[in-house]
Amino acid sequence: MKEKLEQIRLAALERIAASEALETLNEIRVAYLGKKGELTGVLKGMRDVSAEERPRVGQMVNDTRAVIEEKLEERKARLAKKVREEKLKREVIDVTLPAKKNHVGHKHPNMIALEEVERIFVGMGYEVVEGPEVEYDYYNFEALNIPKGHPARDEQDTFYINDSILLRSQTSPVQVRTMEKGKLPIRMIAPGRVFRSDEVDATHSPSFHQIEGLVIDKNITFADLKGTLEEFARELFGEDTRVKFRPHHFPFTEPSAEVDVSCFKCHGKGCRFCKGSGWIEILGCGMVHPNVLRMCDIDPEEYSGFAFGVGLERIALLKYEIDDMRLLYENDIRFLKQF
Ligand code: DAH
């Protein structure tokens, strides 16, 4: 019996020492210590052992079991450690490898131009406000002195949602919304997206951006309008820029004008850029029409003001000498990166 136990012990320890996987250890445990295992087999043979021998043999079986268990645990711990080490080795991070390039976006030329325009007007004490892109006919037309049937409605091909709601065709409705609030004086600019049912080409898009301007106070005159827009043009296009006010018509201003700046490319001599005229049109403006003031509950006898509307894309195209508006909407990073 003793020899048999010794054999089992040696065989078991040998197999344990040779095992390379946790599953093998499990198999060994079952083979020796399990219900049908070899050691259990020996215990079953105990009934043939004499009563005096039994405690000693029992002790030997227990010792053998204890040794096998101890070695199994030892081996298990060692294998687990090995597995962990191999895993760590496999997962090691090489901090010297070059990092993946993170593609940082780039400011859109529209955005650069807008920030420049905002900087100039905020510097003159203007507030930047916003209005809705889906607008009432009332704000987009009626309150701006453009009643139903007025020919000026045909100048802007408007996207209607229903009879009274539309996609704003200009940022001018923000003038009305600001005046309606009743807080005077007003000095604001309102940048935003506008919509017109235009075909896409080098100078047109169904969706583009404008920056509206509005000043309302006592004793505001056309001289204030001229001084402000001259200063704006010089800051935007350079100190030696000359400005020309051409009489024009807008329903919501009287008198109205369009503003041209001297071509910053040829300084007025005439070139491809200004189509030979030496001048480039940049905005529309005028003194706020008394009808518009009245509709906003402002007394035209007491208050006056001026307004202007600038096309943002137009400014961006001019400033960065881009000759096709479509480039501004494609968002090709190779194009955007150049500004
Ligand atoms: N809303 C005009 C347009 O889209 C631009 C404009 C002209 C705005 C004169 C004004 C202004 O505020 O005074 O064509």
Side-chain angles (χ1 to χ4, degrees), residues 156 170 172 175 196 210 212-213 250 252-253 284-286 307-309:
Q156 304 176 357
Q170 46 188 357
S172 306
Q175 288 187 34
R196 287 182 201 180
Q210 290 185 333
E212 195 75 14
F250 296 106
F252 35 88
T253 45
C285 63
F308 54 89

Side-chain angles (χ1 to χ4, degrees), residues 229-285:
L229 294 181
E230 265 169 23
E231 180 56 24
F232 166 64
R234 275 199 292 267
E235 283 216 40
L236 193 61
F237 294 113
E239 227 7 79
D240 54 357
T241 306
R242 280 167 298 132
V243 178
K244 184 163 79 173
F245 288 75
R246 254 186 307 105
H248 199 78
H249 170 264
F250 296 106
F252 35 88
T253 45
E254 178 60 33
S256 307
E258 277 189 333
V259 173
D260 298 344
V261 291
S262 54
C263 178
F264 41 83
K265 201 97 179 123
C266 64
H267 300 282
K269 281 198 230 41
C271 66
R272 188 184 67 91
F273 215 67
C274 54
K275 298 195 181 79
S277 74
W279 295 95
I280 297 173
E281 181 204 321
I282 61 159
L283 57 83
C285 63

